[in-house]
Amino acid sequence: LYAHDPQRIQYDGADAHFLGLQTLHGENRPVATQDAQVRRIGSVVSACILVDRSRLPAGEPFDESFFIYFEDHDFAVRVRVLGWEVLAVPGAHCFHGPGTEGLSIRALGRYSSMRVLCLIRNRWQFILKVYSLRTLVLLLPVLVLYEMAQVVVVLRKGWTREWRRAAWWILTHRREILAKRSLVQGSRKVCDRDLLNGGAIPFREEVATNRIERGGRRLLGEMTGLYWRCVSPIL
């Protein structure tokens, strides 16, 4: 819940969108509309989670190379790869303050350079680590389409420096990423068909600020959604 508005939900769990993104549940809904039922979800936000470490493999839960953004998504989906379930417990409330200074969109009203860098880089790293080879091959066309759209946004917003830094990091850490990928795939007990979801692309409103950008977002969502409906049954 928002600390400044405790009758409104910031999020109530999440899912793993097939484009490598995190789809929040119950975003900005009144608490009065919340379903009190405990339910299975596809991902978590690290602002409010409870973990039984005895059930996890040895080592730290989070991959520290993510630094910030997607570290919780990566963790949750890796847990599900192992066959464990992730639950949302609506009766457990956490009050979220104003966000991280210098990074929070709520505070800045815009995307910071570090936020842009980490969101691009960490999404790539998450996909390369967690998605099976079959999933990567089947989703390649739609992933390429999304990257093309992302490049357009990067150029329009002046984020080319952040994009280059993200690409360079992935390139220079490729061996490390491949080693982590080997561990994830070697422990896999659940296929990606049971891990990933479709639905609308989870965009922040701050990304699409005019009619052209909002129209492009709708078109991209329709194209990627159609592709997912066609390919998801054979993942």
Side-chain angles (χ1 to χ4, degrees):
L1 310 176
Y2 290 108
H4 71 279
D5 184 8
Q7 296 307 310
R8 186 164 296 276
I9 300 167
Q10 184 178 11
Y11 67 87
D12 181 25
D15 277 324
H17 194 278
F18 69 94
L19 289 173
L21 302 165
Q22 191 177 53
T23 305
L24 297 181
H25 292 184
E27 193 172 13
N28 293 318
R29 282 172 36 201
V31 174
T33 66
Q34 185 183 44
D35 185 349
Q37 185 68 37
V38 174
R39 67 188 191 284
R40 297 183 183 91
I41 55 175
S43 186
V44 299
V45 182
S46 54
C48 183
I49 62 174
L50 185 66
V51 180
D52 182 353
R53 285 177 178 263
S54 69
R55 296 174 179 265
L56 300 178
E60 291 298 321
F62 294 117
D63 181 343
E64 294 186 1
S65 68
F66 281 75
F67 173 58
I68 190 170
Y69 302 124
F70 280 85
E71 80 290 342
D72 43 10
H73 189 43
D74 169 74
F75 165 67
V77 177
R78 285 190 289 109
V79 166
R80 294 185 62 216
V81 164
L82 295 172
W84 297 107
E85 294 179 345
V86 180
L87 303 177
V89 184
H93 288 175
C94 174
F95 299 99
H96 196 186
T100 305
E101 185 176 354
L103 293 175
S104 174
I105 293 180
R106 285 183 290 149
L108 297 175
R110 59 178 174 80
Y111 276 69
S112 67
S113 177
M114 179 60 73
R115 186 185 184 98
V116 172
L117 167 64
C118 291
L119 287 175
I120 295 174
R121 181 194 70 185
N122 293 346
R123 172 180 165 270
W124 289 343
Q125 184 182 191
F126 167 75
I127 290 173
L128 292 171
K129 276 180 58 179
V130 177
Y131 284 19
S132 70
L133 180 60
R134 178 181 178 84
T135 299
L136 290 173
V137 171
L138 289 174
L139 293 184
L140 182 60
V142 76
L143 291 174
V144 170
L145 175 63
Y146 183 85
E147 294 307 321
M148 293 170 61
Q150 180 169 256
V151 168
V152 172
V153 173
V154 164
L155 292 174
R156 285 183 61 86
K157 302 293 185 181
W159 294 337
T160 54
R161 178 174 176 269
E162 289 79 7
W163 190 95
R164 290 196 304 269
R165 287 180 62 192
W168 179 249
W169 190 94
I170 294 292
L171 180 63
T172 55
H173 290 76
R174 61 189 182 279
R175 292 182 180 176
E176 175 186 333
I177 294 171
L178 288 174
K180 293 175 183 177
R181 172 180 175 80
S182 179
L183 292 175
V184 173
Q185 302 308 319
S187 65
R188 179 178 290 275
K189 296 181 180 179
V190 178
C191 67
D192 287 338
R193 182 177 60 252
D194 297 325
L195 300 175
L196 304 178
N197 294 87
I201 301 175
F203 278 111
R204 291 282 306 218
E205 292 300 321
E206 292 83 358
V207 174
T209 56
N210 58 51
R211 187 168 62 180
I212 294 176
E213 292 175 350
R214 288 191 289 271
R217 181 179 68 179
R218 286 193 298 271
L219 178 60
L220 179 63
E222 291 172 0
M223 295 173 68
T224 57
L226 176 61
Y227 190 91
W228 173 253
R229 288 191 293 274
C230 292
V231 78
S232 57
I234 60 174
L235 278 183

